[in-house]
Amino acid sequence: MSTPYDHKAIEAKWQDRWEKTRAAEVDLRQAHGKTYMLMMFPYPSGDRLHVGHGRNYILGDALYRFLRMNGKRALNPMGWDAFGLPAENAAIQRGVHPRDWTVANIKVMKEQFRRWGILYDWSKEIASCFPDYYRWNQWLFLRMLESGIAYKKMAPVNWCPSCRTVLANEQVVDGACERCGTPVVQRDLEQWFFRITDYADRLLAGLDALEGWPEKVKVMQRNWIGRSEGAEIRFEIPALKEPVTVFTTRPDTVHGATFLVLAPEHPLASRLIEGNPDREGIAAWTEQVRNTPRIQRSSEENPKEGRDTGALAVNPATGEEIPVWLANYVLPEYGSGAIMAVPAHDARDLAFARQEGLPVRLVYHLEEGETDPSGLTEPILHQGVIRGAPPFDGLADGPETIARFIAWIEENGWGRGKVVYRLRDWLISRQRYWGTPIPVVYCETDGMVPVPDDQLPIELPYDVEFTGREGNPLSRSRSFVETACPQCGGPARRETDTMDTFVDSSWYYLRFLSPRDAARMFDREIADRWMPVDQYIGGIEHAILHLLYARFICKVLHDFGMVGIEEPFQNLFNQGMITRFSEKSGRVEKMSKSRGNTVSPDELIDEMGADTERVYTLFIGPPEKDAEWSDEAVSGAYRFLTRVWRMLERLPEAPPTAPADADLERERHATIQRVTQSLQRFSFNTAVAALMELSNSLGRALEEKTASRLRCEEAFDTLLQLLHPLAPHVTEELWERRGYTESLLETSWPEYDETKLRRERIQL
RNA sequence: GCGAAAGUGGCGGAACUGGUAUACGCGCUAGACUUAGGAUCUAGUCCCGAGAGAUCGGGUUGGGGGUUCGAGUCCCCCCUUUCGCACCA
């Protein structure tokens, strides 16, 4: 009668033991052979984690255990990105205070991590919603304010009507709120920004050195930063006695500029239309364009609409007077919000010129002494003559030509070379309660006054009403709002906007290194020892949000002399999503609560154990790819573990001596090699396959009595060691039952003998 | 449209640097044990052909060309899918 595989009892026993021995704790002053691993900083939402979430943590834990068995002092901390909207919404809907709700959720999530058998260094635990963390957000904000990186301005901003707050550009996806999907609207508001655009070039250049990052993420960040080289050129407007500045990446086509187009929101627009008989009609149209939702406005399908201002500008290259138009396809926030239209060399300008019957002029190359060839193929193209321009070969083929034109334009005093970015400054203020209070006050006499460091932290008041009414609940807390001016002592009002939670997550990897330091944000000495993070594991959804902000803040901290490094994350691994068939949509989709296609780890763990979930999650496919969850296939992992379990009691069946010892020995070494190399390159699925093969071979050897007891035991012990990172509970239990007193996690990773592999290969 | 990644059995996938394609698992088929099993175990399972049979012959990695003694892997063209960007001047 064999001992049944009682995964419940085994897992409870080892989870308890790991917790008691605090197996994961690392002394930060020691860094020999160190590896700093980081999972994403999870938000403790009220929803239970599902097996799709598990992939990130299970993968990280498998890697962590593997590293430890290989003698690395691996730091694997976990903490909570605890501020955010769901907590506040829960307060409105269920009448629970955001803090209580968050604290309760953290407890639930910790229990889930425990049930997965994940070893975190809980001695380093942090939660961004407590003053001992967020006071450093405030401290950092003040330093950024002093150095001009943080500033306040009135600007058209993205407003989510459902979340009732502004959003950063990065949080607007396809014109809708990243969190709730509600289309955002534009509002003019005075808001706090971080000058991330000043770091655009460094953020771009830094990417090239990040060899351990997926190319995909780097491309996404490059696109988001959107650097364009070109020139700004001034076009005089005699009627205004003031020029309009345009930005172009094709200054070499300036001769072909037959009209100008300004965004309807352009600051000069109202003056340009002053003399126009239809002034009011144009103003009304402008208002209409301004109110067009962002998605529609910047879509290629959106019909181009424009109005002739009636004003004229002078093309500096030809001396010709050209009309000035307003049109919806020119965006106010990019470049200078105005373009020179060169219809012959730009598809959008051509479409607009044809629609409005505006002239088109081809710019082409004239050799010295050559006359204008005209007689062009396209009837719409007028003649093009280049006079006084520097010689160039071919149009716009090459930065050299463009550079020559920029130099020429600069010589003539018409403009200058210019680099423009798509990236906007990071809007960090939010009109919500559950976030870090921005540490400034407004005094009637002194105006805006930063809170002195010794008055930090500015704590969030607990006693606040969550009614769901318009406006930030914080602004209705009199005890919070009413304060004294730090300068004159007179009455003052606190800033009630709070910070974007992405500020919190931009530097948490540093706080893990000094989690309890009450005197400073973090200890530079420890940071220098442990930074950068050797391995970061998380989903692709953070490609241009968190990962861009964290790189930015790291550079800011570097410039403040607080860290030695400029890039926080050396290697980044993006695990793919777990998908499953959804009854709602009839399609295979990302596993999520709203789609109703989740699998609860609780039930799975009850039925087949956490080790089964771990092994299946790692076996399901290459971890960087999306993978479809199969309820049936999970049992394969369970059967495998059950077979391994039963094998222990079959070991004594092996004979003292046997003929095929060498085969099993060779396979043992081959498996060590395969698993080691697989884990090194994150190929967990093939590592599992190799272990299944060894287990099958060992089972066959026991069945057919072809290997000796000693070899079988050796093979079994090796199997347990190699399997431990993937299925820690059952392997620890079997290891103990084999009679070893040392924890399997504390053993060192088995080594393989290449000569054995080679000799056998020749024999084959 | 631009950029990136990828296309291998009924399914998830393996083959790392060019060297026995389809490892491992799911599913399926047959059998064993069972009162019964969605439990467990054993055998089989890319396609075509020959053979009672172990086995033997041929073909196959989206399609078409090429390089090579040798190509799933390298090069060229085409097709398809997924992802990212997209009126950014």
Side-chain angles (χ1 to χ4, degrees):
Chain A
M1 197 56 207
S2 61
T3 317
Y5 171 35
D6 184 355
H7 53 80
K8 265 192 198 177
I10 294 166
E11 288 173 4
K13 168 181 165 183
W14 287 97
Q15 283 159 13
D16 195 45
R17 202 171 288 186
W18 291 327
E19 204 165 75
K20 279 193 186 125
T21 56
R22 302 177 74 89
E25 236 171 85
V26 167
D27 178 357
L28 293 167
R29 299 273 166 192
Q30 294 185 31
H32 177 68
K34 65 100 195 177
T35 304
Y36 185 3
M37 281 181 54
L38 208 56
M39 308 298 115
M40 290 287 172
F41 197 38
Y43 178 71
S45 79
D47 304 332
R48 297 286 284 182
L49 294 175
H50 54 70
V51 297
H53 294 121
R55 201 180 200 190
N56 180 233
Y57 308 109
I58 290 168
L59 209 139
D61 189 61
L63 188 65
Y64 168 76
R65 289 173 185 266
F66 172 62
L67 288 168
R68 257 187 76 163
M69 290 174 80
N70 279 279
K72 297 281 187 211
R73 185 155 297 145
L75 175 60
N76 193 22
M78 178 50 69
W80 313 100
D81 190 10
F83 274 138
L85 258 180
E88 200 164 336
N89 291 341
I92 294 163
Q93 283 153 24
R94 294 175 235 180
V96 199
H97 193 278
R99 194 169 85 191
D100 303 334
W101 188 82
T102 302
V103 168
N105 290 341
I106 287 174
K107 227 180 130 186
V108 169
M109 267 178 84
K110 275 178 94 163
E111 174 59 19
Q112 284 191 294
F113 289 143
R114 203 179 75 98
R115 293 248 287 159
W116 274 324
I118 293 169
L119 296 178
Y120 286 124
D121 183 346
W122 290 112
S123 72
K124 315 285 188 294
E125 182 182 5
I126 53 177
S128 60
C129 65
F130 296 119
D132 62 348
Y133 186 89
Y134 69 69
R135 70 173 295 171
W136 301 110
N137 282 341
Q138 295 172 338
W139 184 88
L140 176 65
F141 178 92
L142 293 171
R143 300 293 83 73
M144 289 170 82
L145 188 62
E146 284 161 7
S147 55
I149 303 170
Y151 69 98
K152 200 176 189 186
K153 73 169 176 192
M154 178 66 95
V157 295
N158 308 300
W159 174 267
C160 173
S162 163
C163 298
R164 299 192 314 277
T165 182
V166 297
L167 300 170
N169 272 19
E170 289 78 7
Q171 286 161 311
V172 180
V173 179
D174 294 332
C177 172
E178 179 233 358
R179 187 171 280 284
C180 69
T182 310
V184 304
V185 296
Q186 301 292 302
R187 278 198 185 178
D188 284 317
L189 290 169
E190 198 176 21
Q191 295 291 310
W192 287 99
F193 291 86
F194 283 169
R195 223 178 279 278
I196 191 171
T197 50
D198 277 4
Y199 287 75
D201 267 328
R202 283 164 69 189
L203 288 166
L204 208 51
L207 288 174
D208 297 333
L210 290 176
E211 281 165 23
W213 279 41
E215 200 52 40
K216 183 182 175 168
V217 176
K218 291 196 275 187
V219 168
M220 282 168 78
Q221 292 212 355
R222 282 192 195 106
N223 287 344
W224 187 260
I225 295 166
R227 182 190 153 101
S228 287
E229 283 182 28
E232 51 179 31
I233 304 176
R234 283 188 302 277
F235 284 68
E236 292 298 335
I237 298 179
L240 293 187
K241 298 190 170 60
E242 197 179 326
V244 165
T245 302
V246 304
F247 173 73
T248 178
T249 52
R250 295 286 306 274
D252 54 326
T253 63
V254 62
H255 296 86
T258 49
F259 56 101
L260 295 189
V261 188
L262 276 59
E265 298 92 334
H266 194 283
L268 288 178
S270 56
R271 284 174 59 201
L272 285 166
I273 60 170
E274 254 165 32
N276 193 304
D278 186 30
R279 202 176 69 195
E280 273 162 36
I282 297 175
W285 169 80
T286 296
E287 203 46 41
Q288 188 196 315
V289 172
R290 192 196 295 269
N291 293 331
T292 312
R294 220 65 207 139
I295 340 130
Q296 201 188 324
R297 171 82 179 270
S298 60
S299 148
E300 229 168 328
E301 283 92 67
N302 195 35
K304 290 181 174 45
E305 270 183 37
R307 296 288 188 274
D308 188 355
T309 61
L312 293 172
V314 180
N315 182 328
T318 62
E320 208 176 13
E321 291 207 316
I322 57 174
V324 180
W325 281 63
L326 306 177
N328 61 350
Y329 75 97
V330 175
L331 306 173
E333 65 270 9
Y334 186 77
S336 58
I339 62 160
M340 61 175 201
V342 187
H345 300 282
D346 184 285
R348 297 155 303 182
D349 295 343
L350 183 63
F352 189 67
R354 281 181 167 157
Q355 178 185 310
E356 303 294 339
L358 288 157
V360 178
R361 168 172 295 170
L362 183 71
V363 181
Y364 54 88
H365 179 177
L366 277 188
E367 294 293 342
E368 183 83 45
E370 192 184 348
T371 51
D372 174 10
S374 277
L376 295 158
T377 46
E378 268 245 57
I380 195 166
L381 298 177
H382 296 200
Q383 62 169 15
V385 183
I386 297 169
R387 284 197 195 84
F392 66 101
D393 17 314
L395 264 175
D397 38 14
E400 304 79 28
T401 309
I402 291 175
R404 215 143 55 206
F405 264 83
I406 292 173
W408 174 67
I409 285 163
E410 283 176 357
E411 267 167 43
N412 287 300
W414 301 331
R416 61 191 177 95
K418 171 99 174 164
V419 175
V420 157
Y421 300 91
R422 216 182 72 109
L423 183 71
R424 302 264 75 86
D425 275 342
W426 175 13
L427 197 174
I428 60 117
S429 41
R430 297 289 179 274
Q431 290 69 51
R432 301 297 299 230
Y433 163 81
W434 193 232
T436 305
I438 292 172
V440 299
V441 303
Y442 301 98
C443 168
E444 281 160 32
T445 46
D446 296 321
M448 197 268 286
V449 181
V451 174
D453 287 358
D454 59 17
Q455 289 180 27
L456 297 184
I458 307 299
E459 288 197 39
L460 268 183
Y462 183 82
D463 186 17
V464 169
E465 261 192 279
F466 300 95
T467 56
R469 274 188 288 137
E470 185 75 14
N472 184 347
L474 197 51
S475 61
R476 290 192 291 267
S477 165
R478 289 184 59 188
S479 64
F480 178 82
V481 173
E482 290 171 12
T483 186
C485 170
Q487 262 168 39
C488 67
R493 293 176 57 81
R494 283 199 194 283
E495 172 66 79
T496 58
D497 279 0
T498 52
M499 292 184 208
D500 182 2
T501 60
F502 280 106
V503 175
D504 313 350
S505 55
S506 296
W507 63 279
Y508 76 99
Y509 54 91
L510 289 161
R511 189 63 184 176
F512 274 143
L513 303 174
S514 311
R516 311 282 164 256
D517 200 323
R520 60 203 146 165
M521 200 169 170
F522 55 89
D523 183 332
R524 166 146 192 180
E525 196 195 314
I526 297 175
D528 284 347
R529 198 174 278 254
W530 284 87
M531 293 302 293
V533 172
D534 299 275
Q535 186 63 58
Y536 203 4
I537 302 172
I540 187 74
E541 66 274 16
H542 292 103
I544 47 173
L545 287 154
H546 163 62
L547 288 170
L548 187 66
Y549 296 142
R551 293 183 59 225
F552 160 60
I553 293 295
C554 183
K555 288 179 197 303
V556 171
L557 293 171
H558 172 268
D559 292 354
F560 290 164
M562 292 168 64
V563 276
I565 48 140
E566 283 214 48
E567 290 292 341
F569 313 124
Q570 195 165 39
N571 296 293
L572 174 68
F573 185 84
N574 292 122
Q575 87 277 3
M577 290 179 306
I578 297 286
T579 62
R580 188 160 172 261
F581 182 79
S582 159
E583 301 285 344
K584 262 188 206 170
S585 68
R587 284 203 317 250
V588 174
E589 291 182 301
K590 176 186 179 177
M591 198 177 271
S592 75
K593 200 190 167 198
S594 60
R595 293 183 181 89
N597 61 345
T598 56
V599 172
S600 155
D602 297 323
E603 288 161 36
L604 183 64
I605 289 172
D606 283 346
E607 203 181 325
M608 295 192 260
D611 284 334
T612 296
E613 185 189 340
R614 290 174 63 119
V615 168
Y616 178 65
T617 298
L618 296 169
F619 186 57
I620 192 166
E624 69 279 8
K625 277 183 59 183
D626 290 354
E628 190 185 339
W629 186 269
S630 155
D631 298 303
E632 287 166 328
V634 184
S635 56
Y638 182 68
R639 278 199 279 265
F640 165 57
L641 294 178
T642 310
R643 273 197 296 270
V644 173
W645 174 260
R646 280 200 295 253
M647 213 166 273
L648 176 76
E649 294 185 358
R650 292 174 60 200
L651 289 174
E653 294 167 17
T657 57
D661 268 4
D663 287 346
L664 188 61
E665 179 64 355
R666 176 177 50 84
E667 182 144 5
R668 189 176 75 89
H669 282 274
T671 306
I672 298 171
Q673 186 189 39
R674 284 173 67 191
V675 172
T676 307
Q677 291 175 354
S678 290
L679 294 185
Q680 277 164 353
R681 59 192 166 95
F682 281 67
S683 182
F684 296 91
N685 52 330
T686 57
V688 175
L691 290 164
M692 286 173 167
E693 283 182 67
L694 180 62
S695 151
N696 291 344
S697 299
L698 179 56
R700 208 172 303 119
L702 287 167
E703 187 66 32
E704 294 164 7
K705 309 222 185 292
T706 49
S708 68
R709 173 124 182 228
L710 181 69
R711 289 295 177 228
C712 286
E713 287 183 344
E714 256 176 27
F716 186 69
D717 288 348
T718 299
L719 176 65
L720 294 183
Q721 285 188 290
L722 299 178
L723 181 57
H724 179 260
L726 318 176
H729 311 87
V730 67
T731 48
E732 281 281 15
E733 180 65 23
L734 285 167
W735 189 252
E736 193 181 76
R737 285 172 187 241
R738 283 277 298 129
Y740 299 111
T741 47
E742 186 189 27
S743 161
L744 186 48
L745 180 65
E746 303 306 329
T747 64
S748 50
W749 194 252
E751 285 175 16
Y752 59 92
D753 184 346
E754 274 195 63
T755 59
K756 278 197 178 159
L757 299 174
R758 214 176 300 138
R759 208 182 307 139
E760 291 300 328
R761 248 185 224 151
I762 291 160
Q763 273 177 16
L764 284 173

